[in-house]
Amino acid sequence: MYNDKIEAINKELETVFNNVSNKLELENIKVEYMGKNGKITQLNSLIKDVPNESKKDFGMQVNALKNKFTDEYNKINKELENKEINEKLNSEAIDVSLPGTEIAMGSAHPLERIVESLESLLMSMGYDVVEGPEVEKDLYNFELLNLPKGHPARDAQDTFYVKGDEYLLRSQTSPVQVREMLKHEGKEAIRIICPGKTYRRDEDDATHSHEFTQMEGLLIDKNITLGDLKGTFESIAKMLFGEARTTRFRPSFYPFTEPSVEMDISCFNCNGKGCNICKGTGWITVGGAGMVNPIVLRNCGYNPDEWNGFAFGFGIERLAMLKYGINDIRVFYMNHDVRMLKDFDRREY
Amino acid sequence: MAVSLNWVNDYVDIKDVDKKELASKITSAGINVEKVTSTHIDNLIIGEVVECTKHPDSDHLNVCKVNIGSETIQIVCGASNVRKDLKVIVALPGAILPGDFEIKKSVIRGVESNGMICALFELGLEEKTEETYSKGICELDSNAPVGEDPLEYLGLSDTLYELDLNPNRTDCNNHLSFAYEVSGVLNKKVTPPDVSYKEIDEDIEGQVSLEVDTDNVYMYNLMIAKDVKIKESPDFIKHRLEAAGVRSINNVVDISNYVMLEYGQPLHFFDKDIVGNKIKVRMAHDNETIMTLDKEERSLTKDDIIITDGEKPLCVAGVMGGLLSGINENTKNILIESALFNGYNIRYTSIRLGLRSESSLRFEKPMNYEYTILAIKRACHLLEKYADAKIVKGMITYDKVDKTEKKVKVTLEETNSILGMNLTNEDVTKILDSLGFVYEKDKDTYLVTIPNRRPDIYPQKEDIIEEIGRIYGYESIKPTLPIITTKKGRYQDSAYLRKIVSKRMRSLGFNEVRTYTLVSEDDSKKFNYHFNDPIKLLRPMLKERSYVRQSLLNSLLEVVNYNLSKKNNDLLIYEISNVYSEKEEYLEDTKLSFILTGKYIKNTWNTNDYKIDFYLIKGIVENLLKFLGLNNRYTLKLSDSLPKEIHPKINSEIIIDGSEVGYFGKLHPNVSKVDCYVCEISLTKVLEHKSSDVKYTELNKYPKIEKDMAFIVDKSVEAMDIQKEIKKSGGKLLSNIVVFDVYEGDKIDSNKKSIAYNLTFEDYNRTLTEDEVMVIFNNIIKQVESKFNAVLRDK
């Protein structure tokens, strides 16, 4: 008897749930069946007419019905929720092809990029970054570097003097090395690089600039060889111009080094076959270097019988011109078009 | 300088050496051969004119049948001196003459021509002058071998090296010294030039006397050559001078130049009969004059060395001879001078007179006294041989040269340890021998005597080691890294600050620029904040670059103007650079400067423009100061002492711990029509205010209470003053104050503004009650109302 009733509700529910189309209807069904006076809740009142031996069976059947309802309800509820969310998402659709809001993108000057990459390599090799004044004493820029007044090599670097012959705009960053050696009074090893602005009385054209950037390195220690300089240079060359680069030294002359060398890299454009960039030689000169001249060591308070070392120097403009394919040095200092600057706002990796 | 390899071959045998290969060997040993040129021309052949008839259709052309050995060819020739039986130089079709002139088969006025009969100037072996042109085609000896290479036959086949010498290797400015380099890299021996001559039985003593009255002469030698015959130089001298770019004059003058190119020692020849029998070398007097060879009256100074006859100047030493005392076509007897002067004086004089010659350039550099003596003897040898001179016995000499031999001790082990190589004693001796160095060897130790011809070698072992290394070749050095203490490099404090500030500016969207430090006088006075004196260059190149700038802002403004002209209107630009000024000492100051104009957020389809304004640059400055750990230590306030280029009412001075470090503000409309905001901060000064270490602070676990209040005040009241009063009245429990709205407009009086604040109250030890906050809140209102004549604005 109660079986029929339960079965009837069961049947009825199937139809009812099948026809639900929104959450309001679903909630109404819940009230209709499970509410205080709901059809399923009402079944409980039948218990008093059920024979004792069947009471247990009845209870189980009512519970099964309740569970069935709840499961079905939850299932449909979830489906309806998903449907609502999907409808909301669809209604929020935008045209993602429209442009994004532009965030200002800063950029490092191409010379700064080169300097920073050299700094990070050489600092990892233990070099400190040291600065010095651009208005410098002749004593530090020339005299102590084995360039006494009237020395033929002063010819090549005609200099801007600012007061008599005592002060000048430094023509190289080497005076920083002198200052550093004097500071350590011949007592400690030195490993420094000194990037900075330098000045020469050159007329500005595509390859000359009266202001330019140098970065010199100085290493003073014990039992240092020209091979150590070559290895150091090779690390720099590979970092800047790629692992495939080979290097060579050519004899040269700087008053502050002995022996002195020009540092060449195999041409990155033609890999040594000969092209426009290397003027057919397969090699590109990128810097000058040498073993620190004992005269300079002595001038700066280091005993050459105890200490030795090497120094090297790069023209940052030259490196940047080679690396970025710039063919006019004035690009670095004049007519900065911000569109050009922004070419240098990204990282290479 | 140009080197003739034919000439070099006189001293070291290089006949069979590949000249291109030699050039690259010499270059890798440190003597840069910049250019290799060869006089050789393909398809040039000696021919014999076997028939010569007039061209049927021309007055001046001839039709020649020329036997070139393998065949007889027909050539049309216009030269007046072409004739039967003449041996000539024939350029066959395919020959390319100087000036890229290719010889081709042609038909000249109806007659076939299969080449060209050449003059020397057409082959680039003589200068083209009226004289050489009128000589016509080159007439070879009757015994010239038909079918052979004419240049080879004439000894004109040569290779020239153009040298680009390092400043220390100017000793290679002559053929003999260059020969030593060649012998060094090829491991050969040098045979020096012949300096022998016969002396006639007549002594120089009594014929000329010498007095030297200055310390600027180190050596002065005189010899006499008599009865010279002035005539044309022999061909080989002419050609060699030509190759070196020196014009042939006559045999005597040419010999002095020849010896200079051979030894690097300039000589001077006087006409002995004009000069007389006295030579006095002294410094000139100020305003003394001399008529030089180029017919110019030259005014002298006390820094010029001159050669006189005891009274009158004869010659400006080392620079240029006098017009009257030099060699002319009637000269019979020559007084030869070979001297060493103080190079500084020669340099000074030649620059001042604008007479920098082959001679003066050599005298400026260190020279070799041995060559000074050899050169005068060599000149005698050549004058005897090519000018029929009779050489008077003896030499008058003034000699103050220090002849102490310079010796250096160096060991094999030192050599290897500096070069990072593995040389043997055999390698070292071979190299020292080939360079012509004299040395004593004791096991692994070498005592090397530095030759006088190498003034670049300083007597220290490193200089000898360099010689060994460069000749052995640096390509055999193995790259290693120094075996030394491992440590991490660090930035010096100032460099570190510069670096982090630069990176911060970039991350804030700024583009870095670099501009020139040197500016015009006018520009050096702009944006002058501290009123120091700008530094002026003693010898500027250009007026626009004659002062050292004191501020970067004018340069940045130029960058902005350049970009505006290119329609790049939205700009955020910065530069970090040193500026200098003078105030007894030279003052260095590292400036961070930046400039902004246009829009910060650009006109896009869905956002509003954010036009750059004062509060944006203020925000950037504060961002930077907080980044540098200076929060709560800086104040920003309107200043009336900023440069005149800054807006007097829209600006702010930046003060850290009570001292100024810079300023920012809008540019004065006189300076820029476009709205620009600028900032210049002294990083040098910022560095004096070290920031503290970063420490963790525990956050408050008790709830905060926030309250808003807005006041209507006079427009002239500064928001910061109200804020300070709020802070003071709010006491310890008031932890934060934010301005969240400013209003001026219709809803309030026109001379008033409304400022709204959001206040945060909190206590780290307990939960605050609404009541106690309200007590404080009301007190703040009371205080602000009374202090600023403010009215609390209703919501």
Side-chain angles (χ1 to χ4, degrees):
Chain A
M1 142 107 191
Y2 60 85
N3 282 339
D4 293 347
K5 270 214 156 130
I6 289 172
E7 189 50 32
I9 293 175
N10 228 336
K11 275 258 160 64
E12 200 180 305
L13 273 179
E14 261 172 48
T15 329
V16 168
F17 275 130
N18 270 339
N19 293 327
V20 174
S21 61
N22 59 49
K23 276 190 119 177
L24 185 65
E25 283 175 25
L26 186 67
E27 287 313 306
N28 286 339
I29 292 166
K30 194 175 178 183
V31 173
E32 189 182 344
Y33 289 89
M34 299 289 277
K36 222 172 178 177
N37 298 309
K39 290 180 180 169
I40 294 175
T41 319
Q42 289 292 323
L43 286 175
N44 288 335
S45 61
L46 295 180
I47 189 100
K48 57 183 190 299
D49 303 326
V50 174
N52 277 346
E53 65 274 19
S54 299
K55 272 194 163 68
K56 193 178 171 194
D57 177 60
F58 171 78
M60 279 167 67
Q61 285 200 43
V62 171
N63 270 340
L65 184 62
K66 280 183 181 169
N67 287 342
K68 194 180 168 192
F69 180 94
T70 309
D71 287 350
E72 197 65 11
Y73 169 87
N74 284 344
K75 190 178 135 222
I76 292 170
N77 191 38
K78 187 80 200 158
E79 277 169 14
L80 288 175
E81 264 177 16
N82 285 343
K83 198 176 143 209
E84 266 176 33
I85 287 170
N86 282 335
E87 273 164 10
K88 183 164 188 287
L89 291 178
N90 284 333
S91 75
E92 284 171 354
I94 58 166
D95 180 355
V96 296
S97 71
L98 283 165
T101 303
E102 210 178 306
I103 309 293
M105 193 121 130
S107 61
H109 190 273
L111 296 175
E112 178 67 11
R113 285 175 75 100
I114 301 282
V115 168
E116 282 181 7
S117 56
L118 285 169
E119 282 171 351
S120 88
L121 173 73
L122 286 155
M123 286 170 82
S124 77
M125 294 164 81
Y127 290 78
D128 294 334
V129 179
V130 178
E131 298 179 327
E134 291 160 34
V135 176
E136 183 56 280
K137 289 180 177 158
D138 183 279
L139 181 70
Y140 296 156
N141 193 71
F142 288 131
E143 298 254 9
L144 294 180
L145 288 164
N146 194 26
L147 280 143
K149 294 200 172 64
H151 191 284
R154 284 198 180 190
D155 220 25
Q157 38 190 31
D158 213 351
T159 309
F160 288 115
Y161 280 88
V162 292
K163 193 191 260 175
D165 49 10
E166 196 190 338
Y167 280 93
L168 44 74
L169 298 186
R170 66 179 177 191
S171 61
Q172 45 193 5
T173 49
S174 323
V176 185
Q177 304 184 2
V178 172
R179 286 169 173 273
E180 199 67 11
M181 282 190 268
L182 292 172
K183 196 172 97 189
H184 292 287
E185 298 177 318
K187 288 174 189 151
E188 289 164 292
I190 295 177
R191 228 182 302 173
I192 55 161
I193 48 173
C194 29
K197 217 178 204 185
T198 48
Y199 305 81
R200 285 184 199 175
R201 293 189 80 254
D202 274 332
E203 259 174 67
D204 293 339
D205 61 24
T207 53
H208 296 86
S209 179
H210 71 278
E211 296 178 30
F212 56 102
T213 314
Q214 272 198 343
M215 200 203 75
E216 292 191 23
L218 172 72
L219 182 146
I220 305 274
D221 216 295
K222 297 186 176 176
N223 306 316
I224 303 302
T225 73
L226 201 55
D228 295 336
L229 172 61
K230 200 174 187 184
T232 304
F233 170 55
E234 203 168 87
S235 309
I236 295 169
K238 286 178 190 294
M239 181 274 293
L240 278 178
F241 296 104
E243 280 300 315
R245 298 282 63 74
T246 54
T247 62
R248 97 177 165 180
F249 277 178
R250 277 183 302 118
S252 186
F253 169 68
Y254 301 101
F256 25 88
T257 48
E258 189 75 25
S260 302
V261 297
E262 298 282 323
M263 303 185 291
D264 296 354
I265 58 167
S266 58
C267 180
F268 49 80
N269 186 50
C270 63
N271 275 317
K273 285 195 227 39
C275 68
N276 273 342
I277 290 177
C278 60
K279 300 200 182 86
T281 63
W283 294 94
I284 301 172
T285 304
V286 294
M291 304 302 288
V292 180
N293 194 325
I295 300 172
V296 173
L297 287 176
R298 233 175 274 122
N299 285 348
C300 299
Y302 276 77
N303 177 2
D305 296 331
E306 198 182 335
W307 300 94
N308 81 336
F310 57 70
F312 56 84
F314 296 99
I316 303 299
E317 282 80 358
R318 174 155 177 80
L319 297 180
M321 286 167 90
L322 289 168
K323 189 161 172 66
Y324 301 125
I326 295 168
N327 51 22
D328 192 328
I329 197 168
R330 288 167 292 198
V331 162
F332 298 117
Y333 296 99
M334 288 175 76
N335 301 342
H336 285 297
D337 192 307
V338 73
R339 290 169 295 182
M340 181 278 277
L341 295 174
K342 284 178 178 173
D343 280 345
F344 292 91
D345 59 4
R346 67 178 184 84
R347 284 287 141 193
E348 298 152 323
Y349 50 89
Chain B
M1 123 134 206
V3 172
S4 150
L5 291 199
N6 274 352
W7 197 339
V8 171
N9 188 60
D10 287 359
Y11 318 128
V12 55
D13 181 9
I14 49 168
K15 257 193 261 32
D16 302 327
V17 175
D18 182 309
K19 305 299 188 289
K20 280 232 161 91
E21 217 170 277
L22 176 61
S24 93
K25 276 189 186 160
I26 289 272
T27 301
S28 18
I31 305 293
N32 301 318
V33 179
E34 212 171 31
K35 210 170 126 196
V36 180
T37 50
S38 169
T39 57
H40 175 80
I41 298 171
D42 279 338
N43 296 321
L44 228 47
I45 197 163
I46 297 175
E48 181 175 13
V49 182
V50 292
E51 202 184 303
C52 182
T53 53
K54 282 268 164 234
H55 190 290
D57 204 13
S58 161
D59 294 341
H60 68 281
L61 293 178
N62 300 290
V63 180
C64 307
K65 294 268 195 289
V66 184
N67 169 22
I68 55 166
S70 55
E71 57 180 320
T72 298
I73 56 172
Q74 176 172 297
I75 298 175
V76 175
C77 175
S80 55
N81 61 333
V82 68
R83 57 189 184 271
K84 187 171 178 291
D85 298 333
L86 189 65
K87 297 267 181 79
V88 293
I89 301 173
V90 177
L92 296 171
I96 297 169
L97 305 190
D100 251 342
F101 173 46
E102 189 180 343
I103 304 296
K104 291 178 181 147
K105 269 189 186 186
S106 62
V107 175
I108 298 170
R109 296 199 192 177
V111 177
E112 192 181 293
S113 182
N114 295 300
M116 182 171 114
I117 303 176
C118 305
L120 283 183
F121 72 81
E122 287 165 325
L123 303 175
L125 298 167
E126 260 182 6
E127 220 178 326
K128 184 177 178 180
T129 63
E130 252 173 63
E131 196 196 329
T132 56
Y133 189 78
S134 65
K135 273 197 311 195
I137 54 167
C138 175
E139 301 187 13
L140 297 176
D141 270 2
S142 58
N143 51 13
V146 168
E148 302 280 295
D149 182 339
L151 299 185
E152 205 68 58
Y153 169 70
L154 288 171
L156 292 177
S157 186
D158 198 357
T159 302
L160 302 178
Y161 285 175
E162 190 58 47
L163 303 185
D164 175 23
L165 297 172
N166 286 328
N168 66 327
R169 289 310 308 273
T170 49
D171 63 285
C172 278
N173 64 12
N174 62 79
H175 285 78
L176 182 55
S177 294
F178 185 74
Y180 278 102
E181 284 298 313
V182 173
S183 101
V185 298
L186 296 179
N187 190 24
K188 296 198 171 198
K189 277 249 166 335
V190 168
T191 319
D194 189 351
V195 294
S196 65
Y197 51 86
K198 282 205 282 295
E199 290 177 332
I200 56 167
D201 190 19
E202 207 178 279
D203 207 301
I204 193 166
E205 290 295 338
Q207 299 203 28
V208 65
S209 71
L210 172 66
E211 187 190 342
V212 176
D213 187 21
T214 163
D215 292 341
N216 293 322
V217 175
Y218 307 140
M219 181 181 263
Y220 200 88
N221 299 317
L222 289 170
M223 287 185 78
I224 295 173
K226 286 198 153 172
D227 298 334
V228 297
K229 301 251 159 11
I230 307 263
K231 55 188 175 189
E232 224 180 291
S233 280
D235 285 346
F236 86 94
I237 290 185
K238 276 200 277 186
H239 296 319
R240 285 180 177 184
L241 292 186
E242 196 83 45
V246 177
R247 252 181 92 181
S248 170
I249 312 278
N250 58 46
N251 57 344
V252 172
V253 174
D254 287 0
I255 284 169
S256 80
N257 284 325
Y258 188 87
V259 172
M260 176 178 76
L261 295 171
E262 202 168 33
Y263 283 94
Q265 168 70 51
L267 301 175
H268 192 71
F269 290 179
F270 295 100
D271 186 319
K272 169 78 175 70
D273 301 317
I274 296 171
V275 168
N277 50 17
K278 182 165 185 177
I279 292 288
K280 181 175 177 182
V281 189
R282 61 169 168 86
M283 303 310 286
H285 311 304
D286 281 337
N287 299 323
E288 200 169 1
T289 61
I290 180 173
M291 174 80 80
T292 46
L293 215 50
D294 52 0
K295 296 180 185 151
E296 293 252 356
E297 180 89 2
R298 306 281 182 176
S299 182
L300 302 170
T301 75
K302 61 175 173 28
D303 291 318
D304 302 322
I305 309 169
I306 53 166
I307 318 299
T308 71
D309 61 2
E311 303 287 329
K312 299 185 307 296
L314 298 170
C315 172
V316 185
V319 177
M320 194 179 250
L323 180 63
L324 301 173
S325 60
I327 304 300
N328 60 62
E329 59 265 42
N330 302 316
T331 298
K332 285 269 165 295
N333 302 314
I334 307 173
L335 184 62
I336 312 169
E337 165 208 287
S338 179
L340 286 179
F341 302 111
N342 183 339
Y344 299 160
N345 290 87
I346 303 295
R347 182 177 152 85
Y348 167 83
T349 304
S350 66
I351 291 174
R352 187 176 53 80
L353 296 177
L355 290 172
R356 299 195 91 185
S357 58
E358 290 281 331
S359 156
S360 72
L361 284 172
R362 285 181 167 81
F363 275 122
E364 284 176 20
K365 313 287 187 209
M367 288 172 54
N368 168 16
Y369 76 89
E370 286 172 354
Y371 282 6
T372 311
I373 298 163
L374 287 171
I376 198 168
K377 292 184 174 169
R378 175 68 170 166
C380 290
H381 170 89
L382 294 171
L383 286 168
E384 184 181 75
K385 203 162 170 183
Y386 299 109
D388 308 328
K390 298 186 179 66
I391 310 301
V392 172
K393 194 194 293 172
M395 188 195 292
I396 304 275
T397 293
Y398 168 89
D399 185 353
K400 294 285 172 199
V401 175
D402 176 8
K403 301 199 185 57
T404 320
E405 279 192 334
K406 289 186 279 182
K407 294 190 177 192
V408 182
K409 196 186 275 180
V410 61
T411 68
L412 181 66
E413 198 253 315
E414 287 167 340
T415 306
N416 281 328
S417 83
I418 286 184
L419 293 175
M421 287 182 173
N422 270 314
L423 303 182
T424 62
N425 275 313
E426 210 184 344
D427 296 325
V428 172
T429 52
K430 205 167 97 182
I431 290 166
L432 294 177
D433 288 339
S434 71
L435 284 169
F437 286 9
V438 175
Y439 59 92
E440 292 160 39
K441 179 174 179 296
D442 177 20
K443 288 188 193 129
D444 285 353
T445 305
Y446 298 78
L447 185 64
V448 184
T449 306
I450 300 169
N452 274 301
R453 63 185 158 77
R454 292 294 306 276
D456 62 301
I457 301 182
Y458 185 81
Q460 61 182 5
K461 62 175 185 290
E462 286 74 7
D463 283 56
I464 301 297
I465 292 170
E466 176 172 52
E467 290 297 306
I468 296 168
R470 76 181 177 93
I471 297 294
Y472 191 83
Y474 289 152
E475 64 280 355
S476 52
I477 298 174
K478 266 206 223 76
T480 52
L481 285 175
I483 302 167
I484 47 178
T485 326
T486 307
K487 68 178 184 81
K488 168 86 173 81
R490 57 177 293 275
Y491 283 107
Q492 175 190 319
D493 289 351
S494 59
Y496 183 68
L497 179 63
R498 184 192 282 243
K499 216 43 69 167
I500 58 171
V501 166
S502 187
K503 286 183 176 161
R504 187 64 174 186
M505 291 309 291
R506 269 131 66 184
S507 67
L508 287 168
F510 281 75
N511 301 111
E512 188 189 18
V513 297
R514 300 264 167 115
T515 55
Y516 291 131
T517 298
L518 298 181
V519 298
S520 68
E521 183 175 7
D522 278 357
D523 287 348
S524 76
K525 291 176 180 152
K526 291 178 184 163
F527 295 98
N528 192 341
Y529 184 24
H530 296 291
F531 306 104
N532 294 331
D533 293 326
I535 298 173
K536 186 179 192 263
L537 300 185
L538 289 179
R539 280 173 60 228
M541 310 262 294
L542 296 167
K543 258 182 134 175
E544 304 90 90
R545 311 251 170 259
S546 53
Y547 279 80
V548 180
R549 64 182 171 184
Q550 294 194 62
S551 163
L552 316 183
L553 286 175
N554 192 60
S555 310
L556 293 187
L557 182 57
E558 281 171 10
V559 176
V560 164
N561 287 333
Y562 178 81
N563 276 286
L564 292 177
S565 76
K566 300 275 172 198
K567 302 263 189 294
N568 303 327
N569 297 327
D570 308 312
L571 302 164
L572 290 87
I573 282 167
Y574 80 101
E575 179 170 8
I576 301 176
S577 190
N578 293 344
V579 302
Y580 294 87
S581 58
E582 204 173 346
K583 204 174 190 183
E584 290 150 25
E585 277 282 299
Y586 293 114
L587 301 176
E588 180 180 72
D589 193 358
T590 304
K591 297 281 195 197
L592 159 69
S593 305
F594 52 93
I595 187 162
L596 306 82
T597 185
K599 293 156 189 161
Y600 186 61
I601 292 175
K602 304 218 181 87
N603 190 14
T604 61
W605 56 273
N606 75 337
T607 51
N608 295 327
D609 292 347
Y610 185 162
K611 224 174 149 315
I612 287 161
D613 62 9
F614 178 80
Y615 300 105
L616 179 72
I617 193 169
K618 184 171 177 174
I620 288 167
V621 170
E622 295 197 79
N623 180 305
L624 195 62
L625 292 170
K626 285 173 185 163
F627 171 70
L628 293 174
L630 298 168
N631 199 12
N632 298 327
R633 286 169 62 183
Y634 67 82
T635 43
L636 308 174
K637 64 171 195 200
L638 188 71
S639 167
D640 55 9
S641 60
L642 296 183
K644 61 182 188 311
E645 288 82 3
I646 303 298
H647 195 300
K649 297 295 172 198
I650 306 179
N651 73 57
S652 185
E653 206 162 24
I654 305 166
I655 294 160
I656 300 175
D657 298 338
S659 51
E660 63 79 18
V661 299
Y663 62 86
F664 62 93
K666 190 177 182 177
L667 281 185
H668 196 288
N670 288 343
V671 179
S672 173
K673 299 261 175 295
V674 177
D675 286 358
C676 284
Y677 293 86
V678 299
C679 173
E680 188 153 86
I681 298 178
S682 162
L683 295 184
T684 309
K685 288 182 182 171
V686 169
L687 196 61
E688 291 164 14
H689 305 277
K690 292 267 189 295
S691 66
S692 56
D693 294 344
V694 172
K695 285 264 155 45
Y696 167 73
T697 348
E698 207 173 336
L699 295 177
N700 193 357
K701 51 183 187 256
Y702 297 99
K704 301 174 191 176
I705 294 178
E706 292 191 29
K707 296 273 172 212
D708 292 348
M709 56 172 67
F711 296 102
I712 296 169
V713 292
D714 283 352
K715 273 184 179 173
S716 60
V717 175
E718 281 197 6
M720 184 48 75
D721 289 339
I722 300 177
Q723 186 162 334
K724 278 181 190 159
E725 182 54 42
I726 294 173
K727 194 171 165 53
K728 202 174 110 196
S729 322
K732 276 206 315 244
L733 299 181
L734 174 59
S735 65
N736 198 26
I737 310 166
V738 177
V739 175
F740 72 89
D741 188 41
V742 177
Y743 175 79
E744 290 175 18
D746 309 341
K747 291 177 191 159
I748 56 176
D749 281 357
S750 61
N751 60 344
K752 301 274 184 189
K753 63 181 171 188
S754 153
I755 308 173
Y757 295 90
N758 170 274
L759 311 185
T760 307
F761 298 88
E762 61 186 314
D763 189 304
Y764 274 70
N765 300 314
R766 63 194 173 91
T767 304
L768 294 177
T769 65
E770 186 70 21
D771 287 351
E772 63 181 327
V773 168
M774 280 318 289
V775 171
I776 303 169
F777 187 75
N778 289 328
N779 181 44
I780 292 171
I781 292 168
K782 209 174 92 193
Q783 293 299 330
V784 171
E785 279 181 338
S786 73
K787 292 253 163 66
F788 298 98
N789 194 21
V791 176
L792 188 69
R793 196 180 177 200
D794 292 330
K795 294 271 162 67

